[in-house]
Amino acid sequence: MPTQGPPKRLLGSLNSTSITTSHLGLATNQTGSWCLHVSIPDGLFLSLGLVSLVENVLVVVAITKNRNLHSPMYYFICCLALSDLMVSVSIVLETTIILLLEAGILVARAALVQQLDNVIDVLICGSMVSSLCFLGVIAIDRYISIFYALRYHSIVTLSRARRAVVGIWVVSIVSSTLFITYYKHTAVLLCLVTFFLAMLALMAILYVHMLSRACQHAQGIARLHKRRHSIRQGFCLKGAATLTILLGIFFLCWAPFFLHLLLIVLCPQHPTCSCIFKNFNLFLILIILSSIVDPLIYAFRSQELRMTLKEVLLCSW
């Protein structure tokens, strides 16, 4: 991935160079002793990547195996799992190559490593874009299922869902290729940051509106059955807590990476920004954590998917 300051992970391993701020034109001590640099071992990348890989493979297998899950909603969840799977595979592949290079088991020329690093960067960037797109599509799908329940099956058809999936994958591949090729251009970085903010705003607006409708529905039921006001209030508080967790995890996992991109545009040579640039690997770890949490939020909460997954695991034994 393009970083301001630290070299790429693969090239850094090949050249046996430590993370410096030479690309910024800053001396190391210019960031000051206050600069907090969180060192991320390659083993952590590998471990979290493998956990995410296993989780998302199970989601894809379960949805593929059970025909009852062949609906637009689960297609989107499956594609989200595939996007997260791409992140996992890319990280595991990159980390494995790094470890082999550092151990001297694998010997390669810098040009070859550069090409391989570009390919992995495209995979990682493409999976990030597609993940954000499918998170937004899942929010839209749930919104339609609540506010247009009677027309849902006529609005969200399998053919439309397939077209949306194909469109998202094409846009993700093209945009990620352009991003890696022209990442030094300010317009490209601003487009990515704007895209993230748009997805964040879309999800926040849709889920808050859905929570509002759910609270109104709970209030109507409470009046119908003459229940206490505290029951409705408790339901709304539980819904608000769930919404806060959902959006909070999304923001915490994705925002630091896009903040990094924004700071490259705003203050590429400021000591404070250069300190933040040093923690780029930490931002990647947060995105991997997002790919671990996504199946827990969007997939494993489905009882039918859990039952299918149980059958798959029992049959494998």
Side-chain angles (χ1 to χ4, degrees), residues 88-100:
S88 309
V89 170
S90 302
I91 294 297
V92 169
L93 176 61
E94 184 179 30
T95 304
T96 302
I97 295 174
I98 288 173
L99 295 176
L100 292 176

Side-chain angles (χ1 to χ4, degrees), residues 57-67 69-70 78 308:
V57 164
L58 291 176
V59 173
V60 174
V61 170
I63 294 176
T64 304
K65 179 179 175 60
N66 191 342
R67 291 187 175 274
L69 300 179
H70 292 183
C78 184
T308 304

Side-chain angles (χ1 to χ4, degrees), residues 66-136:
N66 191 342
R67 291 187 175 274
N68 292 331
L69 300 179
H70 292 183
S71 64
M73 179 182 72
Y74 285 103
Y75 278 168
F76 298 142
I77 292 176
C78 184
C79 288
L80 175 62
L82 285 173
S83 299
D84 292 336
L85 189 61
M86 286 174 56
V87 174
S88 309
V89 170
S90 302
I91 294 297
V92 169
L93 176 61
E94 184 179 30
T95 304
T96 302
I97 295 174
I98 288 173
L99 295 176
L100 292 176
L101 287 171
E102 291 177 346
I105 299 174
L106 181 64
V107 179
R109 292 179 301 176
L112 178 61
V113 176
Q114 174 70 71
Q115 293 176 357
L116 181 59
D117 195 38
N118 288 337
V119 172
I120 293 176
D121 283 348
V122 170
L123 288 175
I124 294 176
C125 185
S127 60
M128 289 179 182
V129 174
S130 60
S131 292
L132 290 174
C133 287
F134 285 117
L135 286 171

